[in-house]
Amino acid sequence: KRAAHERRDAFVGALRAQLGDRLSFVVPGGGMALWAQAHDVDVDAWCARALAGGVSFATAQRYALDGKARPFVRLGFAGKQ
């Protein structure tokens, strides 16, 4: 559990340092991912660019019952470092 919290905290710190106010989120108390709202970012284009660079994450559209795009992303932090 401690290792998971350390990984989460490092991930949150990196997000804040690299993306600043472009993302807003609540630090989860548990789990392996966090949901973030993107501000002034095309999340679908961002996801496609990330995937081209070998990084994968999901946009909210993937989980939406109506299939509509939304400015949210699910970012996992449980993978290999």
Side-chain angles (χ1 to χ4, degrees), residues 3-5 14 24-25 33 48 54-55 59 70:
H5 283 156
S24 59
F25 54 87
V55 176
T59 67
R70 290 173 175 79

Side-chain angles (χ1 to χ4, degrees), residues 17 26 40-41 48 51 75:
V26 174
D40 299 320
V41 175
L51 189 57
L75 304 168

